Amino acid sequence: QPLIEAELRTLIETAGGPGMEAYRGMLAYHMGWEGPGSGPAATGKRIRPLLTLLACEAVGGDIRQALPAAAGVELIHNFSLIHDDIQDQSPLRRGRETVWARWGAAQAINAGDALFTLAWLSGPRLLEFGVSPAIALAVTETLGTALLRITQGQHLDMAFETRPRVSVADYMEMIGGKTARLISAAV
């Protein structure tokens, strides 16, 4: 987990720079590293990136080379959490104010989009870690497909709120996109 946190912090720092301290701070806040209530309970379990590294290790790969992909999966998850919190108007996540509740919906959308962008850049970042271009492209495609399915699942989740009944098959389709697809992509 320390390797995952280090890679995530490196990526979040790239979103900073002169005059962007507040911007970077919103991202660090959402990731659970800064602000009231920050710490291990606020960061989440990081299960998805751990699955990426475990899968890499299981097939004889070097987990250090897989760190950008693992971070990308976690950033996708966190992008979806920020947007989900806005859509559901959730004031709390992991016992803390959500980004939108703290900074407003417009800034929260921007923060979610930043995590989305950083996740998307994880595929090309694999090249810096010695991964072949073919594998980096395959990872990028896997993440892109997962992103589309996550948004489809979220669409269904919100659409179901207006329906009096949802079949088991419809529910399974929704969670297959919203939840299961990113876990699958992580592996």
Side-chain angles (χ1 to χ4, degrees), residues 62-73:
D62 178 354
I63 64 167
R64 291 185 189 278
Q65 286 186 302
L67 283 169
V73 167

Side-chain angles (χ1 to χ4, degrees), residues 148-185:
L148 180 59
R149 288 289 288 128
I150 290 165
T151 61
Q152 290 169 338
Q154 180 67 4
H155 164 78
L156 292 174
D157 186 23
M158 291 186 301
F160 292 170
E161 292 175 9
T162 62
R163 289 174 45 183
R165 293 192 179 167
V166 176
S167 71
V168 171
D170 287 344
Y171 178 77
M172 295 304 285
E173 177 68 20
M174 183 268 294
I175 64 167
K178 187 173 174 177
T179 305
R181 185 64 174 137
L182 190 54
I183 291 172
S184 173

